[in-house]
Amino acid sequence: MKIAVACADDNLEAAVDARLGRCANIVVVETDTMEFEVRRNPGALAGTGAGVAAAQLVADAGAVAVIAGNYGPNSLSAFAAGGIKAYIGAGKIREAVQALVDGKLEPVQ
Amino acid sequence: MLHADRPTVSVAAGKGGTGKTLFATSLAVALNEVQPGQVQLIDCDVEEPNADILLHPQIAEREPVKVLVPEVDLDTCTRCGRCAQECQFSAIAVIRDAVLTFPDLCAACGVCAYVCPVGAIAEVERQVGIVERGMSPEGIHFVQGRLSVGDQRATPVTKATARMVDVNMISILDAPPGTACPMQESIESSDYCILVTEPTPFGLANLQDAVETCRRMELPCGVVINRDGIGTPGVTDYCTAEGIDILLRIPQDRSIAEAYARGETLAHSFPQWRDELVDVYDAVCKFLRSESTLTT
């Protein structure tokens, strides 16, 4: 399955970004192979609607779940409506994704 | 659009707290003394209107301000996502099978409905604010716009408020601070913009932005220096170098601040200021007359 992760950098050893809407990049990881692609977050520099723009990217990338340090209300309502699970994560992306696969991450209520 | 012999004057500033509202309301009160019932004060600072605190108007009419926002017919929608791709404000999103609209982010541009290949998007009215009209006890015609609490886009309300200019009256527009869209929307309805500033480096930097904005809009402007006597000579030097009229200097004076804190204008508490305030308007009229003679 594909997992989208908020990130300031462009690789799996980088840290999960504290914010989804304003993170620089969104890393989309295929958990079966740990292959990934880096997409620039259009929300990073948006005047308003950053969370919605990031959520749209996550959905368009085909991700079924998303990991970030925190979320705004708009992105959360978008994920809830679209059935994409949002998780709170920190630390290295590789480890956060593994934690999600192992069922150790907290989903946002 | 010069408003004959009663030009509309906007009062603006590159930053908040310089004394726009103090000056605008004082000017209105002073002018109303010499031309009773002929003065209109329009508070265009719709995010935080406060001229009413000084003028105590009785509000008689209230009109809602509405904008058009998308409403999606989910049965017709194919989830193609064109609307979300084209929206510059992320006000509409297609997240897998769900279509979401975020009315508070919407700029009411209509592009979503325009690009929808199956006509699934209708544009429906949404109230974003209110325009209130009334009269102050001394007979100043009062207008103010008020953005709905929680709404972010002030411009439609500013526009609706500034539209209330009565060209047959002496209209004073109190603009919102800064140089962004709401400020520009406010001063666009005027013939002349009075920029209020403080004589500090910070005041100067913001004044330069405001002057640049006026110039790009081809709107003549002059300067009122508030809290004169503090800071540096930078503002005066800049105005001299740029050929910008300094229309009035209001000194740094604790008694003015105290009167303002009591909710009184300069014209209310210091009658000696009335003539000087009227002179500012006369100077603006004179300048605009000379300009129109030059250009015709």
Side-chain angles (χ1 to χ4, degrees), chain B residues 202-244:
Chain B
F202 192 18
L204 173 60
N206 291 291
L207 174 66
Q208 286 169 320
D209 286 346
V211 168
E212 179 72 8
T213 305
C214 290
R215 285 183 174 166
R216 288 199 191 186
M217 294 174 71
E218 296 180 1
L219 185 66
C221 63
V223 167
V224 167
I225 298 180
N226 190 22
R227 305 185 66 195
D228 190 37
I230 64 166
T232 60
V235 166
T236 303
D237 294 346
Y238 168 74
C239 291
T240 308
E242 293 288 324
I244 301 163

Side-chain angles (χ1 to χ4, degrees), chain B residues 72-294:
Chain B
V72 183
D73 176 0
L74 295 173
D75 294 332
T76 311
C77 173
T78 63
R79 314 297 193 267
C80 74
R82 278 293 301 282
C83 52
Q85 276 166 24
E86 297 300 332
C87 178
Q88 299 299 298
F89 305 95
S90 300
I92 188 163
V94 182
I95 307 290
R96 300 170 90 184
D97 200 38
V99 183
L100 293 97
T101 59
F102 297 88
D104 57 328
L105 299 175
C106 179
C109 72
V111 75
C112 52
Y114 180 76
V115 300
C116 178
V118 293
I121 301 178
E123 292 181 84
V124 297
E125 285 186 335
R126 170 171 180 268
Q127 184 172 338
V128 290
I130 195 164
V131 175
E132 300 178 322
R133 287 202 279 184
M135 184 82 85
S136 83
E138 65 255 83
I140 295 170
H141 297 260
F142 184 86
V143 180
Q144 73 180 359
R146 212 175 263 285
L147 182 67
S148 299
V149 172
D151 263 295
Q152 302 175 38
R153 294 190 177 273
T155 311
V157 185
T158 313
K159 202 180 248 183
T161 309
R163 206 178 288 141
M164 293 297 163
V165 167
D166 184 339
V167 294
N168 298 311
M169 281 194 221
I170 298 172
S171 296
I172 314 290
L173 287 146
D174 188 10
T179 52
C181 297
M183 176 269 198
Q184 294 175 26
E185 223 30 92
S186 310
I187 68 175
E188 196 175 28
S189 310
S190 68
D191 302 300
Y192 189 98
C193 186
I194 296 178
L195 299 170
V196 183
T197 188
E198 290 169 359
T200 60
F202 192 18
L204 173 60
N206 291 291
L207 174 66
Q208 286 169 320
D209 286 346
V211 168
E212 179 72 8
T213 305
C214 290
R215 285 183 174 166
R216 288 199 191 186
M217 294 174 71
E218 296 180 1
L219 185 66
C221 63
V223 167
V224 167
I225 298 180
N226 190 22
R227 305 185 66 195
D228 190 37
I230 64 166
T232 60
V235 166
T236 303
D237 294 346
Y238 168 74
C239 291
T240 308
E242 293 288 324
I244 301 163
D245 291 332
I246 295 176
L247 302 161
L248 186 69
R249 290 172 184 272
I250 303 168
Q252 163 79 350
D253 182 342
R254 193 184 164 90
S255 64
I256 294 173
E258 284 173 357
Y260 189 67
R262 286 194 302 270
E264 295 166 12
T265 71
L266 274 180
H268 282 125
S269 357
F270 304 94
Q272 67 271 26
W273 279 93
R274 290 179 195 167
D275 289 347
E276 300 214 40
L277 289 159
V278 173
D279 286 349
V280 168
Y281 188 74
D282 287 345
V284 169
C285 294
K286 205 174 153 191
F287 172 84
L288 292 172
R289 272 198 300 273
S290 69
E291 283 284 291
S292 63
T293 324
L294 283 175

